[in-house]
Amino acid sequence: MTEIYDIVVIGGGHAGCEAAVAAARMGSRVLLVTMDMSKFGAMSCNPAVGGVAKGQIVREIDALGGQMGVIADRSTIQFRMLNRSKGPAMWSPRAQCDKHLFSQLWRETLERTSNLSLWQDEVIDIIVERGAVTGVVTRMGVRFGARAVILTTGTFLGGLMHVGRQNFPGGRAGDAASYGLTAKLRALGFESGRMKTGTPARLDGRSIDFSVMEPQYGDPNPSKFSFLPEVKPVGEQLPCFLVYTSSEVHDSLRRGFADSPLFNGTIQGVGPRYCPSIEDKLRTFADKEAHQLFLEPEGRTTNEYYLNGFSSSLPWEVQFEALRKIRGLEHVHVFRPGYAVEYDYFPPTQLRHTLETKLVEGLYFAGQINGTTGYEEAAAQGLIAGINAHLHCVEREPFILRRDEAYIGVLVDDLVSKGVDEPYRMFTSRAEHRILLRGDNADLRLTPKGHEIGLVDNHRFDVFVQKKTRSESLKNFLFDQSVAPDEINGHFFSINFAPIQQKKRLYTLLLRNEITLSGLIDAIPALAVHIADNDTAEDVIEAVEIEVKYRGYIERERMIADKLIRLENITLRPDFDYDAVSSLTIEARQKLSRIKPATIGQASRIPGVSPADINVLLVYFGR
């Protein structure tokens, strides 16, 4: 071995970067191997972070001590809180980022992290001895020893790019594919498959007529992802623009369907249902005469624009013709056409909840190799893999988040329990306890856990403790202080306010839909003084208002979650012979034998395992 590390991370994308920094900050000696050191955390597709449920994941990454939230905030060019018209469980932060600055900040973070080394090369082999990983071999013939290896290969394993009838090896525009590892892993007994993703053409902003487009601005008072007070919200924001396809655009696109690799059988991989190509949209929604698109800047210092919603693998000339029929793009210059890329993935039912493989000790998979799509899902997996690889090396208990504790817990449990038959994307609807998993309380849920395992440093934890103290103080004030009718009735004439007839605690007023905490602060001098004396920040005020207003719903959801946790406490032996239990259905026996769930709770979420099958297991393993 040239050199021996605790952990080798393969791949410098969002999963690899989070994994490497987390493990190194916890104390492991880490080597990150990537094929191109100029593209750490590259935004290969949309230059944005967050969105529905994804934004909550980024807040959770930050709360645990990960880096994506901080880097996104420092490279934001527009910030929006999505779903504000809905309840707070649905509020989802999203930031349009400067993709070049985002990658640059990741490199700076990696280079400034103690215990972390970088190596530019391609890993072509993983060394396994007696069922455990012991190192890797690179294309240059260098051998690195390791007690754990984290594989985060993105779309590069067996990558094949498609533009019309042309296809060529590659994992991303301008980057080579990686070959050899899939065959090695298959030889070890792993099952693999193929998936597909795509991206739209990139456009030159100098050739776009923005005057005929509808601008889309960021929030007037933008928020941010990170809970750290020194990380500030974006200042000057850049607009995005709404554009629309038309029947003329659709006619041009349809003329290329015969040459579409999606439709002529060239592409075998399964594509993402929730991020379809424009040709997929035309076939699925054949009756629609127009589709909404979002024209988004790729950075502050570039003319490059991303046409969100126009992903395509049609021939380049068909894409160009169709683009120039969109209003405002009549004279557009295209930097590069859209393309599709197929790549190898490994069904994640072959993993434990730590993201360690069941077949090889010390080998972890994270990111698109597990069949997911999206930067945020990849970063979350990388963080979990990095944490658990370090804990494996120091022989400590694994770190596993439950479904009621984090969207990250939902993500990992869905992958290892249910598997994937298409690229997995997180949605709020996937979380049955989403009212508990709001973005505003991610630090309350997870920062103590991050501090306990050694990833959250003392500074971040002190910030958290101060915030929690101020939050509890404000809640106590609302529950303890009363207000008389003559103190409050005259303040809300402008809204539909039913006057109170006797003294009321402040929290009971806040339970009314028409009353906000900011309104009470304006009306009650003592409350305003309390806020000022405690230097209570806006995010604390908002979080307390949510907790008070939705207290009944939150308590009921917590009670339901606690009942379900009991099933998580009943463990299943990994060597249990399910085929010997004739009272289980055949499908249940097959699924349980293949996935080998760790608990009754996990078994209950496996597709094909019925409530009756769970009752049988409860009899065997004790209620």
Side-chain angles (χ1 to χ4, degrees):
M1 297 295 177
T2 301
E3 200 163 356
I4 298 176
Y5 292 85
D6 294 317
I7 300 168
V8 171
V9 179
I10 303 171
H14 303 273
C17 289
E18 288 286 0
V21 172
R25 290 181 60 202
M26 291 175 74
S28 283
R29 191 161 175 262
V30 180
L31 176 68
L32 173 58
V33 183
T34 183
M35 293 194 291
D36 190 342
M37 285 178 54
S38 68
K39 295 180 180 178
F40 288 115
M43 291 180 154
S44 307
C45 201
N46 189 9
V49 168
V52 176
K54 293 168 174 281
Q56 286 91 322
I57 287 178
V58 180
R59 284 264 172 94
E60 292 177 351
I61 291 170
D62 184 75
L64 284 168
Q67 302 302 305
M68 176 175 260
V70 172
I71 290 173
D73 287 337
R74 289 178 172 162
S75 58
T76 293
I77 58 179
Q78 187 192 96
F79 188 95
R80 296 179 67 206
M81 185 67 76
L82 307 182
N83 290 333
R84 270 289 191 180
S85 62
K86 301 179 181 179
M90 303 294 288
W91 296 352
S92 302
R94 181 185 187 272
Q96 195 73 20
C97 294
D98 184 319
K99 72 173 187 180
H100 302 292
L101 178 57
F102 186 92
S103 184
Q104 175 188 328
L105 291 172
W106 254 123
R107 177 157 184 166
E108 291 175 6
T109 300
L110 292 163
E111 291 185 344
R112 291 173 182 172
T113 300
S114 301
N115 302 321
L116 176 56
S117 299
L118 306 175
W119 179 263
Q120 182 166 303
D121 203 344
E122 177 189 354
V123 172
I124 59 170
D125 196 5
I126 295 173
I127 306 168
V128 176
E129 298 176 1
R130 293 185 293 278
V133 70
T134 59
V136 302
V137 181
T138 75
R139 179 73 62 187
M140 295 182 188
V142 182
R143 295 163 65 90
F144 294 105
R147 299 176 63 189
V149 171
I150 305 174
L151 198 53
T152 70
T153 49
T155 60
F156 287 82
L157 270 189
L160 185 64
M161 299 170 60
H162 300 268
V163 181
R165 293 191 178 274
Q166 305 299 316
N167 57 71
F168 41 91
R172 178 173 55 213
D175 292 313
S178 175
Y179 295 98
L181 279 182
T182 299
K184 171 66 177 181
L185 292 169
R186 278 178 160 171
L188 291 170
F190 287 96
E191 174 191 351
S192 69
R194 295 284 278 177
M195 282 190 173
K196 166 259 175 190
T197 190
T199 192
R202 302 304 198 274
L203 311 179
D204 187 341
R206 295 170 298 181
S207 62
I208 297 173
D209 183 1
F210 294 106
S211 66
V212 300
M213 298 178 179
E214 179 184 345
Q216 187 180 47
Y217 299 104
D219 292 344
N221 297 303
S223 184
K224 59 193 181 81
F225 289 110
S226 181
F227 292 97
L228 290 172
E230 62 266 28
V231 179
K232 303 300 181 183
V234 60
E236 180 185 356
Q237 301 189 68
L238 299 183
C240 299
F241 298 87
L242 297 178
V243 295
Y244 299 87
T245 61
S246 64
S247 56
E248 291 79 12
V249 174
H250 298 176
D251 289 341
S252 293
L253 292 168
R254 288 191 181 99
R255 282 196 286 272
F257 277 12
D259 294 319
S260 168
L262 275 180
F263 301 147
N264 62 23
T266 304
I267 291 178
Q268 301 296 319
V270 180
R273 178 195 303 266
Y274 303 104
C275 189
S277 65
I278 189 65
E279 51 264 42
D280 267 332
K281 291 180 185 178
L282 296 191
R283 178 161 286 193
T284 305
F285 308 104
D287 57 326
K288 292 201 67 170
E289 295 185 359
H291 290 279
Q292 187 180 67
L293 309 173
F294 299 88
L295 192 60
E296 302 169 334
E298 298 238 309
R300 292 188 184 276
T301 59
T302 179
N303 293 313
E304 191 173 358
Y305 274 77
Y306 178 95
L307 189 55
N308 196 342
F310 205 83
S311 174
S312 180
S313 58
L314 289 168
W316 64 266
E317 60 270 25
V318 173
Q319 294 185 45
F320 289 10
E321 178 187 327
L323 285 167
R324 290 181 177 131
K325 291 183 178 179
I326 295 174
R327 190 165 184 245
L329 302 182
E330 292 86 353
H331 305 289
V332 71
H333 173 72
V334 178
F335 283 137
R336 67 178 182 272
Y339 60 87
V341 56
E342 283 186 283
Y343 55 93
D344 296 331
Y345 85 101
F346 292 82
T349 51
Q350 302 171 99
L351 305 176
R352 298 185 172 91
H353 278 79
T354 59
L355 298 184
E356 183 184 27
T357 65
K358 296 173 182 176
L359 284 175
V360 178
E361 181 185 345
L363 178 61
Y364 297 77
F365 291 171
Q368 283 181 281
I369 191 173
N370 290 335
T372 61
T373 181
Y375 312 141
E376 303 82 3
E377 291 89 342
Q381 293 172 72
L383 185 67
I384 294 299
I387 290 170
N388 280 301
H390 167 78
L391 296 175
H392 167 81
C393 290
V394 296
E395 299 181 353
R396 286 175 57 189
E397 287 295 311
F399 181 74
I400 297 172
L401 293 170
R402 299 192 311 266
R403 297 178 70 91
D404 64 302
E405 291 179 319
Y407 272 96
I408 297 175
V410 175
L411 166 67
V412 173
D413 186 64
D414 278 354
L415 293 177
V416 304
S417 300
K418 302 176 182 178
V420 296
D421 52 16
E422 62 184 13
Y424 180 99
R425 178 179 178 178
M426 178 55 71
F427 290 103
T428 51
S429 58
R430 295 191 189 273
E432 60 270 38
H433 305 299
R434 57 185 171 273
I435 197 169
L436 303 177
L437 309 181
R438 308 181 311 276
D440 66 273
N441 70 352
D443 55 342
L444 295 173
R445 291 183 279 119
L446 300 176
T447 297
K449 294 179 181 294
H451 188 252
E452 184 180 351
I453 61 175
L455 183 55
V456 168
D457 60 24
N458 290 334
H459 166 64
R460 180 184 282 273
F461 192 68
D462 289 343
V463 168
F464 162 76
V465 170
Q466 291 174 17
K467 176 184 175 181
K468 186 176 181 182
T469 301
R470 288 169 180 150
S471 174
E472 293 298 328
S473 176
L474 179 54
K475 280 190 288 186
N476 290 336
F477 187 92
L478 294 172
F479 279 87
D480 293 341
Q481 294 295 314
S482 298
V483 61
D486 60 343
E487 294 178 277
I488 194 71
N489 285 342
H491 287 277
F492 296 104
F493 289 125
S494 61
I495 61 176
N496 185 24
F497 177 76
I500 62 173
Q501 305 301 320
Q502 58 187 20
K503 274 193 168 187
K504 295 279 187 181
R505 298 290 174 97
L506 289 179
Y507 86 90
T508 63
L509 294 176
L510 195 54
L511 294 177
R512 298 188 180 194
N513 287 336
E514 69 272 16
I515 299 297
T516 64
L517 188 47
S518 61
L520 285 179
I521 294 169
D522 292 338
I524 310 297
L527 178 57
V529 170
H530 179 88
I531 296 289
D533 287 348
N534 287 274
D535 194 22
T536 309
E538 288 293 328
D539 60 334
V540 175
I541 294 172
E542 181 180 78
V544 168
E545 179 171 356
I546 292 170
E547 283 192 51
V548 173
K549 275 190 177 293
Y550 295 89
R551 185 184 180 198
Y553 296 100
I554 293 170
E555 289 178 349
R556 184 177 65 182
E557 195 62 48
R558 181 72 269 161
M559 182 177 65
I560 294 171
D562 288 342
K563 287 182 179 179
L564 294 175
I565 289 172
R566 299 171 192 171
L567 295 180
E568 305 296 339
N569 293 330
I570 304 176
T571 58
L572 299 172
R573 299 198 308 271
D575 60 344
F576 185 74
D577 184 7
Y578 295 100
D579 290 328
V581 184
S582 59
S583 47
L584 291 171
T585 64
I586 293 175
E587 183 179 9
R589 283 180 244 164
Q590 293 172 344
K591 294 287 183 65
L592 292 166
S593 297
R594 181 167 64 89
I595 296 175
K596 298 188 185 329
T599 67
I600 293 280
Q602 184 188 356
S604 71
R605 295 186 292 273
I606 297 174
V609 178
S610 70
D613 294 318
I614 295 302
N615 282 332
V616 171
L617 294 178
L618 285 170
V619 170
Y620 268 84
F621 290 93
R623 290 183 181 275

